[in-house]
Amino acid sequence: MTLRRILTLALFTSVVVIGAAWGQAQRGSITVTVTDASGSPIPGVAVTAQSEDTLTRRTAITDASGGALLSALDPARNYSVTASLDGFSQGRADAATVRAGQATALVFQLSPTSLEEAVLVTSEAPLVDIKSAISGQDITLQLTESLPTARSYQDYLQLVPGVLPSPTGNPASRSGLNYSDIGGTIGTSSDNFYYFEGINVTDNVSGTFGANLNTEIIQEQSVLTGGLPAEYAGATGLVSNVITKSGGNAFSGSANYYFQDDSLAADDKHEENASFSTYDTAATLGGPISSDKAWFFASYRKLQRSDDVSTPDTGNFLRTVDRASDQLFGKVSWAISDSDLVSVVYLSDPTDISGQNDNTLSNARDFAQDQGGDRYTARYSRLWSALSLDLGYSKHESDLNRSPAISEIRNDISFRGTDSRTQAEEQLGGEGNVNFETRGTESINGSLDYYLDTAAAGSHTIKAGVDLSQYDDFRNNNFFDGAAYTSISNRYAASGVTAGEAADFSQVRFDPDATSDLNGL
């Protein structure tokens, strides 16, 4: 039995130019400049921003330079931004896009009402931010709905330039096509960080993603691949941050069903008897608890896949492996005022796997798995004009349990590499181990952003924050007969095989040249 705890305290401070900063990791901002026909700034203009998809609504007044900042806005692509002042036409942008960590710039040119009644402005966040050293991309709902992609946030990562395809779902984002992790495969990285609504769901043992979710709840997925800001302490690979939908003032939802089996795919010439079937069904529902004050959004997703596994040598049927996953999500957002917002999120992804698809394992060596867990987060944000505060608590739980098909000791049989043998001769006994493991993360964090506008030094955002996290890894391993074994086949019992010769056998767990018993075994 092993219990491991790691306590991490991360402090970060930074000063960044407005427009170049990612700001609060979950939110973005809109900068507005208002001028007259001659280009002269107009102070005192009331600027407002609101969206049907978020509860963050902001109002600001332009200063002497005609500028105003609407900060700490939840991501959405349909913000309506208006600029109003008595005696002037109203400026309006009907589809302003706000993305996490980015600033969208709008310029309104107002005229006296006697000349023109309204000015319509359209805008988008810049495709390339030339003022920032951070590299990456925001994967929006509009992008994923317009492209044929797999239904997982891990597969969405491959839409980002520089991110490599990876069969494990943990792609590398640096060093080119031949990047190899330590002890890993080509194109795979264990240095990535995965966040979900501010919850760090990175597996603290393997360094890979530690949670799955229904992609239909994603409002935006922010992916950073380089020049990472100080908020992500310890991250050396890419950072994926999923921001979810919140609901709205009108009830809305969705339901779908996807199905596929081997009759819809080309035959596998290497495993002609292999077959599979899978389905993926999901439903969502969101709406108001109180109009313009409190919203909810919830979803349920069921995934089921069955695979027939055959032996690699004869192609004979081995077993059917069933994988069943349930993904639950719930979120409640409450705008206490225009400046105060509280949100609570719950995510669960239990998965049961009846066996292994690895056809090099005999049925006796097969084992079942159950994995997944519950996640909770609560966040509070407050805005005082140029100062914004964000406080959060999160808890991430993840189980990874293994149960063998038969309760027998494990004995791997070793042969000369050139000698013929069968799978049954190499694998005696069962998997040999019952393993129960829980990996969890609990954290408390807070941050302050202050917008500073000076005539001499320009506009800046000053950020400071703290992140206190505790990682737990609890393991309970139970070996049948107390251990797992490796034995030389009894066909060599009278052949006079030496230890040096045995070192060249398959599945050897000792080094005959080592002078130490500990290092030799």
Side-chain angles (χ1 to χ4, degrees):
M1 181 184 297
T2 302
L3 175 62
R4 183 167 66 92
R5 289 188 174 182
I6 302 174
L7 190 64
T8 302
L9 174 64
L11 297 169
F12 63 87
T13 59
S14 59
V15 180
V16 291
V17 178
I18 187 68
W22 283 79
Q24 295 183 357
Q26 306 284 345
R27 297 179 177 178
S29 61
I30 298 176
T31 59
V32 177
T33 303
V34 183
T35 67
D36 59 19
S38 66
S40 299
I42 304 178
V45 179
V47 180
T48 63
Q50 60 183 4
S51 167
E52 296 178 354
D53 294 335
T54 75
L55 280 170
T56 51
R57 299 174 175 87
R58 299 288 182 255
T59 299
I61 305 298
T62 58
D63 56 21
S65 65
L69 174 68
L70 304 169
S71 60
L73 293 167
D74 286 338
R77 57 187 177 93
N78 59 351
Y79 271 93
S80 176
V81 183
T82 60
S84 303
L85 180 65
D86 289 343
F88 286 84
S89 58
Q90 183 188 71
R92 189 177 81 254
D94 287 334
T97 297
V98 172
R99 294 175 179 168
Q102 294 190 23
T104 297
L106 297 178
V107 178
F108 293 99
Q109 189 178 89
L110 305 187
S111 302
T113 52
S114 58
L115 299 178
E116 191 173 1
E117 291 191 2
V119 175
L120 180 62
V121 176
T122 60
S123 72
E124 287 289 343
L127 295 177
V128 178
D129 189 351
I130 61 175
K131 299 180 181 180
S132 175
I134 297 172
S135 60
Q137 180 176 322
D138 289 327
I139 303 171
T140 63
L141 183 64
Q142 181 184 22
L143 177 64
T144 58
E145 288 180 343
S146 60
L147 293 176
T149 59
R151 288 168 50 79
S152 74
Y153 72 94
Q154 297 93 334
D155 288 291
Y156 290 171
L157 296 174
Q158 297 177 26
L159 299 175
V160 179
V163 176
L164 306 179
S166 170
T168 66
N170 296 282
S173 60
R174 60 184 188 276
S175 301
L177 294 175
N178 293 323
Y179 173 80
S180 178
D181 202 9
I182 297 176
T185 56
I186 299 296
T188 295
S189 174
S190 60
D191 295 326
N192 301 334
F193 270 30
Y194 298 92
Y195 287 85
F196 173 81
E197 283 286 345
I199 310 173
N200 187 345
V201 296
T202 311
D203 188 286
N204 53 53
V205 177
S206 64
T208 59
F209 64 89
N212 291 295
L213 53 89
N214 180 9
T215 56
E216 292 173 51
I217 70 175
I218 298 176
Q219 177 73 21
E220 178 183 293
Q221 183 178 353
S222 174
V223 183
L224 282 63
T225 57
L228 303 180
E231 288 92 326
Y232 301 104
T236 55
L238 67 80
V239 173
S240 169
N241 185 23
V242 170
I243 301 166
T244 62
K245 299 176 183 178
S246 299
N249 279 329
F251 290 100
S252 62
S254 64
N256 55 58
Y257 179 86
Y258 299 89
F259 170 79
Q260 186 182 22
D261 64 14
D262 53 281
S263 66
L264 301 173
D267 293 336
D268 188 340
K269 295 182 179 180
H270 301 284
E271 297 181 36
E272 294 182 355
N273 295 326
S275 63
F276 75 93
S277 65
T278 179
Y279 72 82
D280 178 351
T281 183
T284 67
L285 179 65
I289 300 173
S290 176
S291 183
D292 291 328
K293 283 293 183 182
W295 294 350
F296 78 93
F297 190 84
S299 81
Y300 171 73
R301 183 186 188 189
K302 176 75 173 180
L303 297 96
Q304 177 76 43
R305 182 182 175 101
S306 295
D307 290 273
D308 288 341
V309 183
S310 57
T311 58
D313 45 5
T314 63
N316 294 330
F317 173 79
L318 269 177
R319 57 185 171 269
T320 297
V321 176
D322 295 319
R323 181 186 182 103
S325 301
D326 296 284
Q327 297 174 0
L328 298 169
F329 171 78
K331 180 179 182 179
V332 174
S333 304
W334 177 27
I336 304 173
S337 70
D338 286 346
S339 300
D340 299 86
L341 181 66
V342 174
S343 65
V344 179
V345 173
Y346 168 76
L347 170 71
S348 180
D349 63 345
T351 300
D352 293 317
I353 308 171
S354 67
Q356 302 303 303
N357 288 334
D358 184 357
N359 62 3
T360 63
L361 292 178
S362 66
N363 286 337
R365 286 289 178 87
D366 193 26
F367 58 91
Q369 289 181 227
D370 65 86
Q371 60 193 49
D374 298 325
R375 290 100 197 169
Y376 313 86
T377 183
R379 305 201 71 84
Y380 167 74
S381 62
R382 167 74 180 177
L383 180 66
W384 298 274
S385 184
L387 179 67
S388 61
L389 167 70
D390 190 79
L391 300 174
Y393 166 81
S394 64
K395 186 173 184 179
H396 161 61
E397 300 171 350
S398 182
D399 295 331
L400 182 60
N401 304 319
R402 294 170 46 151
S403 302
I406 60 175
S407 300
E408 294 184 10
I409 63 173
R410 177 184 180 121
N411 188 5
D412 295 329
I413 306 302
S414 183
F415 296 83
R416 284 192 177 97
T418 57
D419 290 353
S420 62
R421 66 270 191 186
T422 65
Q423 185 184 72
E425 289 178 311
E426 282 190 316
Q427 301 178 12
L428 298 185
E431 167 63 17
N433 178 29
V434 179
N435 179 45
F436 300 98
E437 183 174 2
T438 299
R439 306 169 182 177
T441 303
E442 190 171 13
S443 69
I444 300 174
N445 53 67
S447 65
L448 282 170
D449 284 24
Y450 180 69
Y451 176 63
L452 180 64
D453 188 13
T454 65
S459 299
H460 302 270
T461 297
I462 302 173
K463 301 188 295 180
V466 60
D467 184 16
L468 179 64
S469 300
Q470 176 175 288
Y471 304 92
D472 291 337
D473 180 22
F474 176 84
R475 305 184 190 185
N476 189 355
N477 292 327
N478 298 280
F479 288 92
F480 299 109
D481 198 31
Y485 301 91
T486 297
S487 305
I488 296 177
S489 172
N490 58 13
R491 72 168 64 169
Y492 307 112
S495 62
V497 174
T498 67
E501 292 172 328
D504 295 326
F505 279 36
S506 64
Q507 305 186 72
V508 170
R509 295 187 181 181
F510 65 89
D511 178 6
D513 295 324
T515 58
S516 164
D517 288 341
L518 177 62
N519 294 327
L521 291 175

